[in-house]
Amino acid sequence: MAKRPLVVAFDVLETLFPLDPLRSRLEKAGQPPHLLQLWFARLLRDAFALTASGAYQPFPQIAKAALSAVTQEELPDEAIEQVVSGFRELDPHPDAEAALRRARDLGLRVVTLTNGSAANTRALLERSGLAALVERVVSVEEVQRWKPAPEPYWHVAQACQVPPERVALVAAHAWDVHGAHRAGLTTGWVSRLEDRFPNVFEPPDVTGPDLVTVVDRLLELPDT
């Protein structure tokens, strides 16, 4: 049975920070705004393939290569840089601050665990005023394995010096929740992005329509 966590690790992209602002950057580059979904899916696919084959590339390189691929290599390097730079200028979901603050104020340690870069994540947190609520930024850069491979989840537990089962991952991606569960973490899934949790994945320990509800339900788990 899942236990009340000591640490809550929040995923960053699409969980705390939606990607919608990148649509306007795609439009400015002459691309349709709906390309965002295909681009991000291609980015994840390529990252997962690298991880499955034992290789690694950091987020910016994969993001640029994926954008070039989905635009049939029509965008010049300057335009690609301009679009990808938008990852540093995202605004948080309206409930992000309340969820982070609630977790911290009720005695949980709050960290982030991201497939993005640590520098970009720190910039997002500082820009949005959330940095003071986050104890530590953990990136897959540190283990050079992308989530949902087990190593990033084990690493965040090691970094926080707690057992994996006392760390809860909160994410909007079912694949991320599944990976964390397989690695032995407690899991919370916010349903606003995907709406329905796929039955091919191992289910989350708690779910909710928003981040605050997910945090509250993690807090309701038994302590022993």
Side-chain angles (χ1 to χ4, degrees):
M1 178 181 290
K3 297 179 181 179
R4 187 181 193 270
L6 300 173
V7 178
V8 180
F10 288 86
D11 173 53
V12 176
L13 295 179
E14 295 196 295
T15 299
L16 295 177
F17 294 87
L19 301 182
D20 290 341
L22 295 174
R23 297 184 194 277
S24 62
R25 290 181 178 253
L26 287 169
E27 285 189 283
K28 289 178 182 178
Q31 301 300 313
H34 65 259
L35 191 68
L36 174 60
Q37 186 174 4
L38 176 61
W39 171 34
F40 197 62
R42 175 64 177 259
L43 187 166
L44 292 175
R45 188 207 72 173
D46 291 353
F48 295 167
L50 286 165
T51 297
S53 63
Y56 173 79
Q57 289 289 332
F59 187 97
Q61 281 80 346
I62 301 176
K64 292 172 188 177
L67 182 55
S68 180
V70 298
T71 56
Q72 287 76 52
E73 300 185 356
E74 293 179 356
L75 285 184
D77 290 344
E78 302 79 28
I80 290 175
E81 288 282 353
Q82 181 61 26
V83 175
V84 173
S85 69
F87 280 106
R88 296 194 296 269
E89 299 180 8
L90 303 173
D91 295 319
H93 280 293
D95 60 347
E97 180 178 1
L100 296 176
R101 189 175 300 279
R102 184 160 182 77
R104 193 194 65 168
D105 289 351
L106 291 176
L108 303 182
R109 296 166 62 189
V110 175
V111 302
T112 58
L113 176 60
T114 180
N115 277 335
S117 73
N120 187 79
T121 300
R122 291 190 187 99
L124 286 175
L125 294 172
E126 290 286 351
R127 180 177 179 273
S128 62
L130 299 179
L133 300 174
V134 176
E135 173 185 321
R136 180 169 181 156
V137 171
V138 182
S139 168
V140 299
E141 296 169 325
E142 298 169 36
V143 292
Q144 298 199 349
R145 297 274 289 171
W146 279 58
K147 298 183 292 177
E151 289 86 353
Y153 308 109
W154 294 334
H155 177 66
V156 75
Q158 291 167 357
C160 294
Q161 297 184 317
V162 297
E165 65 269 19
R166 301 311 295 267
V167 178
L169 178 87
V170 173
H173 302 107
W175 55 261
D176 200 359
V177 169
H178 172 79
H181 182 87
R182 295 286 295 175
L185 274 63
T186 299
T187 54
W189 179 63
V190 59
S191 61
R192 62 182 165 215
L193 179 66
E194 297 172 338
D195 208 29
R196 179 176 296 180
F197 198 89
N199 61 13
V200 295
F201 293 144
E202 296 183 13
D205 295 302
V206 303
T207 65
D210 56 72
L211 291 171
V212 175
T213 301
V214 171
V215 167
D216 282 344
R217 289 175 179 170
L218 288 172
L219 288 162
E220 292 169 359
L221 292 173
D223 198 31
T224 56

